[in-house]
Amino acid sequence: ADLSAFTERLEQNSGALLALLLGRNYFTVRLHSAFYGLLLVAASAAWARRAFNRKVAAVAAALLAVSYWPVATSRMALEVEVTAAFATLGMAFLWRGLSAKPAAKHVVLPWILAAVCLSLAILGYPSGRVGWLAALCFALYGWAFLRGADRRRLLPLSAAVVGALIVTLPHLL
């Protein structure tokens, strides 16, 4: 199988790791992409469960699992799955950080995980290089329109977005 189709660093490294485990064949290439497709469904369900409820999360996961684009990109081993999965996971962690109680024991962990996931999304595919703008726009909106305690929650959000950009800055240049 031709693993040279993976053009981005994150895909090359994770694809090489999987090829070491399973060998260089078409199954490995497709399994690589299918893994990220499943991660996308799981991240979407986790985000929907936290934002809404279990029923909405189950419906969102079911519809995403059978909708055309996620299935097609997973089956054809396209690179965009990596960015979609990590961007969604990053936004789920941002949501978790925003909805956490300020006195919670692990209040910093969601922000760190969000920065890591957004960094991985940027490294995953060229479209990810502008995907972080969604989180940045959300932070700017919050700074403009939120007041008091709600506004203080945006400081870690802004730090997570800036952290993701700093980590991936060499890749963006």
Side-chain angles (χ1 to χ4, degrees), residues 11 28 48 82 95 125 159-160:
E11 275 203 316
T28 302
V82 175
W95 190 270
Y125 191 67

Side-chain angles (χ1 to χ4, degrees), residues 1-4 18-20 22-29:
D2 185 17
L3 298 177
S4 65
L18 194 60
L20 279 174
L22 301 175
R24 292 177 56 126
N25 54 48
Y26 289 110
F27 175 74
T28 302
V29 175

Side-chain angles (χ1 to χ4, degrees), residues 101-108:
K101 304 270 188 269
K105 188 176 182 180
H106 302 290
V107 73
V108 177

Side-chain angles (χ1 to χ4, degrees), residues 17-159:
L17 180 65
L18 194 60
L20 279 174
L21 296 172
L22 301 175
R24 292 177 56 126
N25 54 48
Y26 289 110
F27 175 74
T28 302
V29 175
R30 288 192 176 187
L31 183 65
H32 179 263
S33 190
F35 167 76
Y36 288 111
L38 290 173
L39 183 62
L40 173 63
V41 172
S44 299
W47 188 5
R49 187 179 67 239
R50 181 156 294 273
F52 300 103
N53 58 40
R54 291 183 107 127
K55 192 175 187 178
V56 171
V59 170
L63 290 175
L64 189 60
V66 298
S67 65
Y68 176 75
W69 285 111
V71 171
T73 55
S74 289
R75 290 191 69 214
M76 291 185 255
L78 297 178
E79 298 168 327
V80 73
E81 283 297 319
V82 175
T83 294
F86 282 117
T88 304
L89 196 57
M91 295 305 281
F93 283 123
L94 288 177
W95 190 270
R96 184 178 184 115
L98 284 172
S99 62
K101 304 270 188 269
K105 188 176 182 180
H106 302 290
V107 73
V108 177
L109 185 61
W111 300 109
I112 293 171
L113 292 173
V116 168
C117 289
L118 290 174
S119 297
L120 291 173
I122 292 169
L123 294 174
Y125 191 67
S127 64
R129 295 182 188 128
V130 295
W132 59 272
L133 287 172
L136 181 64
C137 289
F138 184 66
L140 292 174
Y141 167 81
W143 284 109
F145 295 105
L146 295 178
R147 300 286 177 248
D150 289 332
R151 193 173 197 181
R152 283 192 295 272
R153 291 179 149 199
L154 294 175
L155 185 60
L157 170 66
S158 303

